[in-house]
Structures are given as C-alpha cells and as structure tokens.
Amino acid sequence: MTALGTRGARPLPAHPSPPTLRRAAPALLGYMAVRVLGLLALAVWSAARDKSAYKLLTARWDSLWYTRVAELGYGYEVRLANGDVHSNLAFFPLLPWLERLLASVTPMSYADAGFAVSALASLAAAWGVFAVADHVYGRRVGVCAVLLWAVLPVGIVQSMAYSESLFTALAAWSLYAVLTGRWLTAGTLALLAGLTRPVGLAVVAAVWAAAVASFVRDRSTPRWRRALGMLIAPLGAAGYVLWVGHRTGKGPLGYLDVQAGWRNGFDGGAAFARFVADKFTSFPSALAGVGLVVGVGLLIWLYVTCVRQRQPLPLLVYAGVVTVLALCASSYFGSKPRLLLPAFPLLLPLARALARPRTSRSVLVTGVAAVASAVYGAFWLNGSGPP
C-alpha cells in the first residue's frame, strides 16, 4: 500500500486480511435495510398500479435478454423495422452462466436464479465497497460509503436481475486486492469482471496502472506476481470479444458491429451533448436539461475532489474509465445513471463528509436519502425504468 497510499489513509500492514463479517456488519445491515425499504416501496407502488413488482425486477429489459441466453444460449436476435439488429451477443456471459448453473441445481427458474444471483452479488458488492473504503479511510467512512451506494436514486437496479451488482462486486474486490498487493487475485477478479460487462475494461485498466506504478516504486513483491496479474486481467473481456468476432465472422472488431446494431458505441460524448442541448429547445424539457448539466457537473466535481484527496491510483483510474465510458456512449441516454452505478469511488468524498458529524445526524441524513431513493425507485421502475 505504500506505493498507492493516500493522504489521510491509516497506516496498514502490507497484506491486511479482508474485513471480517463482524467488522463489516454495520455496513451490511444498513445496506440490507435500505434495500428492503426499496423493495417494500416498489411492492406497494406496483400493487397500486396493478403490476407485479417481482416481474419488474426479473422479467423486463436486459433481464429478459440474460435469461434467454441462460436458457437457449447465444444466437437470438431481433430485427427491427428500421433495419437495426438487436443480438443477444451484446450481453456478456457471466451472469447467464450463473443463472444456468443455479437453475440446474435448484428448482428455480432462470428468472428466479437471476434475482438470487443479483441479491447475493449486491451483498458481496456492498462488502467490497466497505473493504475498499475501510482500507483507505477507516471503518466509519466504509459504512458511510456503503450506505451512500445503497441510497443512490437508481439503487433499485442493485435488486434487479441485471449485471450491475455482480460487476460491482467483482470490481470492488479486485480493487481491494490491488490495494493490498494480491496481484493474482486482482487479475482473476478482473478477468471475471471482463466476462460480466464491457466496462470490465475499467477494472483491467486499474490493475495495469497499479501494477506499472508498483513496478516503478515497490520492489518488495516478486515481479512475476504483478506480471501474471496483468496478463490474467484482460483475458475475460478479450476472450469474449474475440469469440463474438469469430462467431459473427467479422474478426476482432465483430463485437463493435453487434453494438452498432443496438445503435450503441463510443463517440466521445457527442451524441449525449446533442441530447442535452435538445432539451433546451422547449419548456419544461429545459428543466431536464438543467438537471443533466448539473448532474454531469457534479460527477466532474466529485472526480476532481477524488484527485485532490489523493485517492489511490487504481481507484482514480477505475472511476475515471467507468465515468467516461458511461457518459460517452452514443445511445440509451436514459440508462446512463445505472451505467454509473459501479463508479463507487466517486462516493468516497461524500462518505468522508458524512462520517464527520455525530452518528445521529449521519443516520438522519441517510434515512431521508433512503426514503427518497425508495420512492424514486418505485416510481422509476413502474414508469420507463432502465432500458
């Protein structure tokens, strides 16, 4: 940790043990309370609208694509009237693999398995967020970081049969492994993250950046472990992308063609900028435009604060890549909030601020945010929801 330390971090042993369940218990219990509140709000709101809350969580949008992959494998596609081709090759395989495995050994359906995997993964993610924050800033900040992650406006996605919770769990524990010098573990978890979502590139970048910095600054750890961790890290994402290219017959860039069929790609944020600008052409949509500008400004401010507080290099690299990939994607603008969900290091400055007041005041602030998040999540998922 000496090579990757931050101002304000506690002095720690070179390879501290992961935080025990007892140490993480306040964070995990608080996280579960927030999630239960969100699910109760969703159940009440859905019942009032004569909808199934469970179906909203397990059988809409991406969750249907994942369960279809789990049940039937790859090769399914939908051809739209405008010529677009939506192929299930766009969805990375780890979540449907786990759904298939769980459904094969239990009476669960694939949708049930997806919900169960997401529930367990969200707890693992909360524990991982705590582990990272606790390692860098201490237990109190770790608890606050988990609660802030739980009460995000789109926190309900953590309970859906989506891949965000699974990815965040793998990313958080990979970053913790990097911070504690466990290079083989970090590389393996980065590999698995790369099999979960395209943004697995962010975890790979964090592992590589930290390893290169460690090569330069720290010679105490055998170099072969760092080198092997770097070698392992990109194999998941690279393997799947190359397999898609082979299956489609379009070579190494075949996956980009698959994404193009969904009108999704990386354009440096040009399409998103036009989307925001269009909001200012009428009223009241201009209010939404103001909200988007403020939201992006807040993200930039949080990242700059992370840099000024000298967060460890892997956290800065990871959060930066996640944020850039989310904001600069050329399609599905309504999904950007959930695409930013894994960027938990951005919450650490807020967690440090929340940890300073007395516990009663921090609990009050978190409680109000939890209620607001639960109500918004129920409203959002019963409306347009995450595409």
Side-chain angles (χ1 to χ4, degrees), residues 24-102:
L28 298 180
L29 290 173
Y31 177 78
M32 287 189 288
V34 173
R35 288 275 48 82
V36 168
L37 178 63
L39 293 175
L40 287 175
L42 177 64
V44 171
W45 197 298
S46 301
R49 294 175 60 88
D50 197 26
K51 292 183 179 181
S52 166
Y54 187 69
K55 186 175 181 180
L56 292 176
L57 294 168
T58 63
R60 294 181 73 186
W61 303 295
D62 290 8
S63 57
L64 288 175
W65 287 89
Y66 282 120
T67 55
R68 188 173 285 116
V69 172
E71 182 178 6
L72 302 174
Y74 285 104
Y76 176 81
E77 62 183 30
V78 175
R79 294 183 177 273
L80 305 183
N82 64 358
D84 290 347
V85 178
H86 289 185
S87 168
N88 65 0
L89 289 169
F91 296 88
F92 277 49
L94 186 58
L95 177 58
W97 283 350
L98 293 175
E99 290 177 348
R100 178 179 294 182
L101 175 63
L102 191 56

Side-chain angles (χ1 to χ4, degrees), residues 40-240:
L40 287 175
L42 177 64
V44 171
W45 197 298
S46 301
R49 294 175 60 88
D50 197 26
K51 292 183 179 181
S52 166
Y54 187 69
K55 186 175 181 180
L56 292 176
L57 294 168
T58 63
R60 294 181 73 186
W61 303 295
D62 290 8
S63 57
L64 288 175
W65 287 89
Y66 282 120
T67 55
R68 188 173 285 116
V69 172
E71 182 178 6
L72 302 174
Y74 285 104
Y76 176 81
E77 62 183 30
V78 175
R79 294 183 177 273
L80 305 183
N82 64 358
D84 290 347
V85 178
H86 289 185
S87 168
N88 65 0
L89 289 169
F91 296 88
F92 277 49
L94 186 58
L95 177 58
W97 283 350
L98 293 175
E99 290 177 348
R100 178 179 294 182
L101 175 63
L102 191 56
S104 68
V105 298
T106 68
M108 291 182 177
S109 68
Y110 293 109
D112 295 337
F115 182 74
V117 169
S118 181
L120 293 174
S122 68
L123 286 174
W127 197 345
V129 171
F130 173 81
V132 171
D134 177 37
H135 180 85
V136 178
Y137 294 118
R139 187 184 190 188
R140 188 175 175 88
V141 175
V143 173
C144 291
V146 171
L147 294 177
L148 287 174
W149 190 66
V151 302
L152 288 172
V154 294
I156 190 65
V157 174
Q158 298 162 12
S159 298
M160 297 181 69
Y162 271 42
S163 61
E164 274 77 9
S165 291
L166 178 60
F167 175 79
T168 305
L170 294 167
W173 283 107
S174 179
L175 291 170
Y176 178 79
V178 168
L179 293 174
T180 55
R182 295 175 170 88
W183 296 104
L184 297 182
T185 300
T188 301
L189 292 172
L191 181 155
L192 294 173
L195 285 171
T196 308
R197 297 185 61 81
V199 75
L201 172 65
V203 189
V204 176
V207 172
W208 277 45
V212 170
S214 183
F215 274 128
V216 174
R217 300 178 184 178
D218 180 14
R219 300 178 184 276
S220 61
T221 305
R223 287 177 174 265
W224 71 266
R225 290 182 180 275
R226 280 170 276 187
L228 187 56
M230 292 179 68
L231 178 64
I232 293 172
L235 294 182
Y240 181 69

Side-chain angles (χ1 to χ4, degrees), residues 277-374:
D278 287 344
K279 294 294 183 181
F280 290 95
T281 59
S282 63
F283 188 85
S285 67
L287 297 177
V290 171
L292 290 170
V293 171
V294 171
V296 173
L298 177 60
L299 288 172
I300 296 173
W301 175 79
L302 285 173
Y303 189 78
V304 170
T305 304
C306 291
V307 174
R308 294 182 65 181
Q309 292 181 353
R310 297 184 182 177
Q311 278 190 18
L313 176 64
L315 300 188
L316 294 176
V317 171
Y318 168 76
V321 174
V322 171
T323 302
V324 168
L325 290 178
L327 294 181
C328 296
S330 60
S331 187
Y332 297 103
F333 305 114
S335 67
K336 290 188 184 297
R338 74 171 175 87
L339 296 180
L340 288 162
L341 196 61
F344 69 89
L346 294 179
L347 298 174
L348 294 185
L350 299 179
R352 295 183 71 186
L354 184 62
R356 293 191 189 105
R358 289 180 299 179
T359 300
S360 58
R361 184 173 299 179
S362 298
V363 169
L364 177 61
V365 171
T366 305
V368 171
V371 172
S373 174

